[in-house]
Amino acid sequence: MRTSLKAGIAAIGAVAVIVPGSLAHAQLDSGITVVTAELLAGALTIVPPAAAVISPALDQLSASGQVLAVTVSDLRLSNAGWTTTAIITDFTDLASNTIPAANTTYTPESAVTTGSVTVTPSGAVVIDSAQNVQTATASGANTAIWNATLDLDTTGAVAGVYTATLTHSVF
């Protein structure tokens, strides 16, 4: 009996040692952290290429060329869309000969985009006055890049090197 009593006391002592340790590990604690992210709005910008070349057709009655990589970057972080316009001046040469701006057609291609934006090209438009060439519905930051074709009716023009200024705007 003495051996059983010692074994029973040893078992109770062992339980007394395990139970307090187990309770300490079972207790849980938690806390919260408030995390803030400040997003600063940027600008709506357009960057056209520095130059474009129009080459005459074999019949010399027209000329065409590419306007490469017109880029719009919208960092306003809003749900506002945007629209781009294009306008060109009359073509003139060093002898003051002109080809009217009304002879110029601008045809934008579909844009390559990043972000949440849908861009719709206008199709072919005469750009002797400011004409919408791309329209976008957007959400948040986005970019769009497109090429365009310029077609120039050169009927009646005299030989020479003509220049004009093509202006792209975004709003």
Side-chain angles (χ1 to χ4, degrees), residues 13 20 25 41 50 55 57 62-63 68 74 81 88 101 104 117-118 126 140-141 152 165 169:
H25 291 313
S55 301
S62 64
L68 299 175
D74 184 357
I88 200 162
T104 310
V117 62
T118 301
V126 175
L152 180 63
T165 300
S169 300

Side-chain angles (χ1 to χ4, degrees), residues 58-73:
L58 292 176
D59 62 10
Q60 298 291 314
L61 298 176
S62 64
S64 66
Q66 292 286 300
V67 177
L68 299 175
V70 178
T71 304
V72 169
S73 179

Side-chain angles (χ1 to χ4, degrees), residues 91-111:
F91 286 80
T92 58
D93 69 3
L94 293 176
S96 297
N97 295 305
T98 62
I99 302 171
N103 290 15
T104 310
T105 303
Y106 183 105
T107 308
E109 296 177 3
S110 295

Side-chain angles (χ1 to χ4, degrees), residues 21-125:
S22 296
L23 290 177
H25 291 313
Q27 293 177 349
L28 297 177
D29 195 7
S30 64
I32 61 168
T33 301
V34 176
V35 178
T36 302
E38 181 178 8
L39 302 176
L40 301 176
L44 174 63
T45 60
I46 188 165
V47 178
V53 176
I54 296 177
S55 301
L58 292 176
D59 62 10
Q60 298 291 314
L61 298 176
S62 64
S64 66
Q66 292 286 300
V67 177
L68 299 175
V70 178
T71 304
V72 169
S73 179
D74 184 357
L75 303 178
R76 296 174 296 170
L77 302 179
S78 71
N79 291 329
W82 47 262
T83 299
T84 60
T85 60
I87 185 172
I88 200 162
T89 62
D90 291 339
F91 286 80
T92 58
D93 69 3
L94 293 176
S96 297
N97 295 305
T98 62
I99 302 171
N103 290 15
T104 310
T105 303
Y106 183 105
T107 308
E109 296 177 3
S110 295
V112 175
T113 63
T114 60
S116 182
V117 62
T118 301
V119 180
T120 305
S122 64
V125 291

